[in-house]
Amino acid sequence: MLRPTLAQFQVVEIYFDDALGYGSSFLEEVFGGLVRKGFVATDLMKRLVLKTDDDALREEVIQYIKAAQK
């Protein structure tokens, strides 16, 4: 559901905290998938605000976005 939300809003905040965890395959498909569907990684990273206290999780999402752009 991120693609329609990104089509509607310039900036989208995503809250990760209060969940038990996120599988790496889920994160890669969601965020890497956005790039594969036509979003440019640098633009996407400016438009997504990743809200989490877990810096490693934030960095993991960023790496999936960057890797999908290559």
Side-chain angles (χ1 to χ4, degrees):
M1 298 306 293
L2 274 176
R3 283 177 43 203
T5 304
L6 285 164
Q8 185 175 0
F9 299 100
Q10 187 61 30
V11 175
V12 176
E13 291 185 1
I14 301 172
Y15 293 84
F16 287 99
D17 295 337
D18 298 328
L20 295 176
Y22 299 93
S24 58
S25 60
F26 169 77
L27 294 172
E28 196 291 321
E29 183 61 31
V30 170
F31 296 101
L34 287 171
V35 174
R36 289 188 293 277
K37 292 291 184 180
F39 287 90
V40 176
T42 54
D43 180 50
L44 194 56
M45 289 189 289
K46 291 176 188 173
R47 297 183 60 199
L48 293 176
V49 178
L50 307 174
K51 298 285 197 166
T52 180
D53 292 332
D54 185 345
D55 292 335
L57 174 61
R58 182 182 296 106
E59 189 58 36
E60 182 178 2
V61 169
I62 291 168
Q63 290 306 312
Y64 290 135
I65 292 170
K66 288 179 179 179
Q69 189 69 60
K70 295 178 181 179

